[in-house]
Amino acid sequence: MDLFHIVSEDRIKKAYENGEFDNLPGYGKPLPIDDLAGVPEELRMAYKLLKNSGYTEEEGHLRRELTTIEDLMRKCDDPEERERLRRKLNEKLLRFNQMMSKRGVKTNSSIFKNYEGLISLG
């Protein structure tokens, strides 16, 4: 054990003995059911980190959809289909922007830099 670990363990023991943990919210109550119960144990920590940092499954899904639509647009030769994909991309980007703005995150990622290029080309 390193010194930091020893010191922190000692402080936790003293706080427990002094009753400093007795008035914590939820003291003596069962822990809430983990919403990641269906996730394999080796992936739970990664999911918790993502969730605690504000990353959601919906955000990940939208990012994948945006990337897929952009790839389809690059490979599309039909002007009508390309226009349909562009409208769909605009809808997804709007939804993504709204989601990010609610979290207070600036949306200056590469996805939107690519989008600027599509607007000027379109």
Side-chain angles (χ1 to χ4, degrees):
M1 270 199 248
D2 63 343
L3 182 61
F4 178 75
H5 186 74
I6 294 169
V7 170
S8 59
E9 283 292 320
D10 185 50
R11 287 188 180 177
I12 291 170
K13 282 182 188 177
K14 286 180 184 175
Y16 181 76
E17 290 168 359
N18 293 336
E20 293 180 33
F21 298 131
D22 292 347
N23 295 324
L24 292 176
Y27 179 79
K29 296 178 184 172
L31 291 173
I33 296 175
D34 190 3
D35 58 345
L36 298 175
V39 176
E41 197 165 324
E42 63 271 10
L43 296 176
R44 287 183 190 166
M45 184 57 70
Y47 274 72
K48 284 183 182 184
L49 286 170
L50 289 170
K51 183 179 176 185
N52 290 342
S53 66
Y55 185 85
T56 63
E57 287 184 47
E58 183 181 7
E59 178 185 341
H61 184 70
L62 270 174
R63 286 180 187 267
R64 286 189 297 277
E65 285 181 354
L66 289 168
T67 304
T68 301
I69 294 170
E70 287 176 335
D71 289 343
L72 288 171
M73 286 180 72
R74 273 189 225 102
K75 296 173 184 172
C76 182
D77 293 331
D78 181 20
E80 290 178 16
E81 179 66 14
R82 189 177 178 91
E83 178 61 25
R84 188 186 69 75
L85 289 168
R86 188 187 59 76
R87 282 194 303 269
K88 190 172 182 178
L89 180 68
N90 287 343
E91 292 171 11
K92 300 289 182 184
L93 283 169
L94 180 62
R95 200 161 108 209
F96 186 80
N97 277 332
Q98 289 172 340
M99 185 185 310
M100 294 295 103
S101 67
K102 284 180 185 176
R103 287 187 17 210
V105 175
K106 290 186 178 182
T107 53
N108 58 357
S109 69
S110 62
I111 291 173
F112 299 103
K113 290 177 186 171
N114 292 340
Y115 179 62
E116 286 177 14
L118 293 174
I119 291 174
S120 62
L121 294 174

